[in-house]
Amino acid sequence: MLWQFGDENAAFFGLPVISPDQTLAAVGIWTEPGSEQPNRVAILDAETGELERELEYPRCFSAEPFGWSADGSRFLTAAGIEPCERPEAPGGVWVEVYDTDTWQSISVIESQDPWVAHPVFDDDGQLYVFGVDSPLTVYDAVSYQPIKTIEEAYGLGDVTADGTLVTAFTNTRDLGLGLIDTASEVRVDNLTPLVGRPGQPWGARFSPDGSKLLVATDATELVAWETVGGRQ
């Protein structure tokens, strides 16, 4: 074991993420109600486990790190499992972008989803914000203003590193999970329903080169697909 990081005020930790250059790690820390310590995101030295800084969210039950941009210059957090109202996002579901040179917040984006926001960068820094019950919205890499909404990409999903394909669920179980071309906004392949595997997909991730896609189903299986031709 390289190192171990703990926090005596933590009720539990969220999912960890690591920077592209593997020098930093981050984890969401959720504290007990009434604790003197606020809920926060801890930024750690990935080599030593030493705490580098904390991004505090005192009014939130949870806030989660979603990782860095490909060049490491930007860092993403988002509201956790419960909405967290703030002035820039009165609906309580938001994404926050930090400049990692200064660790100052440079943008807070209110999600249109009533439940959760799942943000992902492509390699050019464009931001894709998925939700549970809303279509995908794409944001400019500099201004973080919305560029477009891809109505065909509905629900949680992922984007290839080059930003050419997204995978997303739909609001009807019959269509399941699909591949959508981001330029034309057209669904180019249907990957689910899975043959012989009933149930809605729960999560999906592209491989770094975009050639493969892993899909987790509520039938407790992990299925791999080729993104060209949709071969399972």
Side-chain angles (χ1 to χ4, degrees):
M1 182 171 66
L2 291 176
W3 48 264
Q4 185 172 342
F5 173 78
D7 188 302
E8 62 182 13
N9 295 299
F12 51 92
F13 284 0
L15 293 175
V17 293
I18 194 164
S19 63
D21 63 4
Q22 302 182 54
T23 61
L24 294 174
V27 66
I29 301 176
W30 304 359
T31 54
E32 296 285 1
S35 170
E36 294 183 359
Q37 292 292 324
N39 296 294
R40 58 206 185 278
V41 171
I43 310 297
L44 311 172
D45 184 306
E47 291 294 323
T48 66
E50 292 294 319
L51 181 65
E52 294 278 325
R53 66 184 65 249
E54 293 179 322
L55 310 175
E56 295 186 351
Y57 292 93
R59 292 181 295 174
C60 300
F61 173 74
S62 65
E64 291 284 7
F66 277 85
W68 283 260
S69 58
D71 63 3
S73 67
R74 299 291 183 263
F75 180 74
L76 291 172
T77 63
I81 60 174
E82 290 189 5
C84 173
E85 185 176 329
R86 52 193 300 181
E88 308 92 330
V93 182
W94 46 266
V95 173
E96 189 158 16
V97 185
Y98 287 86
D99 182 322
T100 58
D101 285 334
T102 63
W103 285 101
Q104 296 297 307
S105 173
I106 57 176
S107 184
V108 176
I109 299 167
E110 183 172 26
S111 172
Q112 302 306 306
D113 194 86
W115 304 106
V116 69
H118 181 89
V120 183
F121 281 122
D122 68 15
D123 280 354
D124 291 330
Q126 283 196 150
L127 180 60
Y128 300 72
V129 179
F130 298 87
V132 171
D133 195 25
S134 60
L136 168 66
T137 303
V138 185
Y139 295 84
D140 181 77
V142 177
S143 68
Y144 297 106
Q145 293 300 306
I147 299 172
K148 60 183 174 181
T149 298
I150 302 179
E151 297 289 343
E152 186 66 25
Y154 200 99
L156 296 178
D158 195 20
V159 61
T160 54
D162 63 7
T164 59
L165 283 177
V166 296
T167 183
F169 309 154
T170 66
N171 56 348
T172 50
R173 292 176 68 89
D174 291 341
L175 291 179
L177 192 73
L179 291 176
I180 298 98
D181 179 270
T182 56
S184 65
E185 304 181 29
V186 171
R187 179 176 290 255
V188 295
D189 204 350
N190 284 329
L191 303 181
T192 56
L194 304 174
V195 177
R197 296 172 175 84
Q200 189 78 344
W202 282 96
R205 286 292 181 271
F206 284 107
S207 61
D209 66 358
S211 66
K212 293 181 176 60
L213 179 68
L214 290 178
V215 180
T217 80
D218 64 3
T220 65
E221 290 185 312
L222 188 65
V223 181
W225 296 84
E226 285 186 345
T227 57
V228 178
R231 187 172 70 88
Q232 181 181 328

